[in-house]
């Protein structure tokens, strides 16, 4: 049966959106070297309307990565440096008294953007950390009893340093669970590091992405068409059961005090669905689930102290679970 005009048009829009999103890697590579997995993770999060926790030592281009993504997608972005004295209103905005009108007016905070970079989120107290919870979950900010919707698309990319814990406030499990993915940003290989230094020696300025050649290659319309196509991606009953079995197996692991919640299972399935569509398929395979399992689950489990002392990591536990859970045929 031939497709209707609408379905044919939707198919063409989806194909064009996929082609545009595929060029993101090339465009962002003009500014950021060797971080393709992180770029893919951020795009998956945008397609799933989720948020991302970026973890890496200082100086591995976490901030530059988010700025380059926003530039290549022609999205508005703002950066907040989280510090111990940061107040919730510094993030969400507040009511300001106008002496001319003798009335209070709402002054939007930096959260009113498309891509919010929450830099070193674990350096601010829980009260300020929690100010992002409503924004991340409900996509709105309530001030003085009035809910105010956030722009669309909206993504929080929060960074944290994995090696320096002095003066930090670790994110509680409830807030970690709100992040769709946790992406680790590794140190570059020797070849990539040489490439970075060569670019800087040639005059590359990370503060001027336009001069680096980063241009918009996709936009909000492409994301909307892509999201609609992802929603049509087929998920079989076997794949759904496979995701559930993986998450349930983490709850029985002797190395963990906390396994993956049902929200985590939902996140893994959504991420696998987006990844399947990005790779050109309209159905999800077990390999799609495996490809996103670490990023979607590593921050949702809690290690036992004795396991941690023995060198066990969240990634190693999840890899062990993936090796043990039967894969559907």
């Amino acid at each position: 049966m031939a497709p209707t005009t609408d379905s044919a048009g939707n198919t063409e829009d989806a194909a064009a959106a996929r082609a545009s999103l595929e060029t993101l890697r090339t465009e962002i590579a003009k500014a950021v070297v060797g971080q393709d997995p992180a770029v893919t993770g951020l795009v998956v999060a945008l397609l799933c309307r989720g948020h991302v926790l970026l973890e890496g030592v200082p100086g591995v281009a976490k901030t530059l990565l988010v700025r380059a993504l926003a530039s290549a997608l022609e999205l508005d972005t703002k950066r907040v440096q989280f510090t111990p004295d940061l107040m919730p209103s510094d993030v969400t905005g507040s009511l300001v008294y106008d002496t001319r009108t003798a009335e209070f007016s709402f002054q939007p905070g930096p959260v009113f953007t498309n891509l919010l970079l929450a830099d070193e989120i674990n350096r601010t107290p829980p009260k300020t950390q929690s100010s992002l919870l409503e924004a991340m979950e409900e996509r709105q900010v309530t001030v003085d009893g009035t809910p105010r919707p956030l722009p669309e698309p909206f993504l929080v990319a929060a960074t944290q340093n994995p090696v320096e814990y002095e003066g930090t406030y670790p994110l509680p499990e409830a807030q970690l669970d709100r992040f769709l993915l946790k992406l680790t940003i590794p140190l570059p290989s020797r070849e990539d590091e040489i490439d970075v230094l060569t670019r800087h020696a040639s005059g590359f300025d990370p503060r001027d992405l336009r001069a680096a050649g980063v241009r918009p290659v996709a936009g909000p319309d492409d994301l909307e068409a892509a999201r609609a196509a992802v929603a049509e991606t087929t998920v079989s009953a076997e794949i759904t059961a496979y995701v559930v079995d993986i998450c349930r197996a983490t709850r029985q692991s002797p190395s963990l005090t906390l396994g993956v919640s049902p929200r985590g299972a939902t996140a893994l399935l959504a991420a696998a669905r987006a990844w399947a569509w990005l790779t050109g398929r309209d159905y999800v395979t077990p390999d799609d689930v495996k490809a996103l399992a670490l990023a979607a689950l590593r921050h949702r489990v809690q290690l036992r102290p004795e396991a941690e002392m023995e060198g066990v990591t969240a990634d190693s536990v999840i890899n062990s679970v993936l090796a043990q859970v039967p894969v559907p045929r």
Side-chain angles (χ1 to χ4, degrees):
M1 180 176 174
T4 64
T5 304
D6 284 348
S7 63
N10 291 340
T11 302
E12 291 174 5
D13 289 346
R18 184 189 286 120
S20 297
L21 293 175
E22 283 174 351
T23 61
L24 277 177
R25 289 190 189 91
T26 305
E27 203 63 25
I28 293 173
K30 295 176 182 178
V32 182
V33 178
Q35 297 293 0
D36 283 355
V39 174
T40 301
L42 286 165
V43 173
V44 165
L46 280 167
L47 294 181
C48 298
R49 295 167 62 91
H51 308 283
V52 174
L53 185 62
L54 301 171
E55 186 172 272
V57 298
V60 290
K62 298 186 293 293
T63 302
L64 181 60
L65 175 63
V66 175
R67 289 180 53 240
L69 177 69
S71 182
L73 284 173
E74 208 166 12
L75 298 175
D76 183 48
T77 183
K78 290 187 174 68
R79 174 179 177 271
V80 179
Q81 182 66 50
F82 279 68
T83 56
D85 61 347
L86 193 75
M87 299 297 291
S89 59
D90 295 330
V91 178
T92 60
S94 59
L95 294 175
V96 178
Y97 183 72
D98 189 338
T99 55
R100 293 173 298 177
T101 61
E103 294 180 348
F104 285 95
S105 61
F106 179 67
Q107 184 66 37
V111 75
F112 286 85
T113 187
N114 297 125
L115 266 66
L116 176 69
L117 177 61
D119 218 353
E120 294 190 287
I121 190 172
N122 56 337
R123 291 212 168 275
T124 200
K127 182 178 181 180
T128 304
Q129 290 176 5
S130 65
S131 67
L132 278 177
L133 286 179
E134 182 188 12
M136 293 169 67
E137 192 70 18
E138 307 295 335
R139 297 180 180 272
Q140 66 178 25
V141 167
T142 302
V143 177
D144 197 35
T146 303
R148 293 174 169 84
L150 294 170
E152 185 61 42
F154 173 69
L155 178 142
V156 174
T159 72
Q160 65 179 15
N161 179 351
V163 296
E164 190 179 358
Y165 292 107
E166 204 156 323
T168 63
Y169 305 84
L171 295 178
E173 281 68 30
Q175 186 160 353
L176 283 171
D177 210 32
R178 294 302 200 284
F179 287 96
L180 179 79
L181 304 175
K182 178 182 178 182
L183 305 175
T184 55
I185 311 297
L187 288 166
S189 66
R190 182 174 183 273
E191 292 73 20
D192 286 343
E193 198 162 359
I194 289 173
D195 191 0
V196 171
L197 267 63
T198 302
R199 292 186 183 194
H200 279 266
S202 302
F204 170 70
D205 183 358
R207 290 170 291 275
D208 190 354
L209 294 176
R210 292 293 182 188
V214 179
R215 297 287 184 271
V217 294
D221 290 343
D222 294 304
L223 286 175
E224 199 58 43
R227 286 172 174 174
V230 169
E232 297 297 321
T233 302
T234 303
V235 181
S236 67
E238 292 78 13
I239 291 297
T240 302
Y242 182 50
V243 170
V244 169
D245 289 343
I246 289 171
C247 295
R248 289 180 69 85
T250 64
R251 300 170 203 161
Q252 299 163 5
S253 171
S255 299
L256 301 178
T257 59
L258 180 69
V260 178
S261 69
R263 180 190 282 134
T266 303
L268 175 55
L269 185 60
R273 208 175 185 186
W275 171 245
W277 179 82
L278 277 174
T279 53
R281 280 178 283 101
D282 61 357
Y283 59 92
V284 181
T285 68
D287 285 341
D288 298 324
V289 176
K290 290 181 178 179
L292 272 297
L294 286 178
L297 304 181
R298 59 164 57 108
H299 56 299
R300 304 176 192 273
V301 300
Q302 192 174 69
L303 290 166
R304 292 188 182 277
E306 56 269 27
E308 204 165 358
M309 290 175 65
E310 292 171 3
V312 176
T313 64
D315 284 14
S316 66
V317 172
I318 294 167
N319 281 326
S320 176
V321 166
L322 290 174
Q324 293 169 9
V325 174
V327 180
R329 299 294 180 186

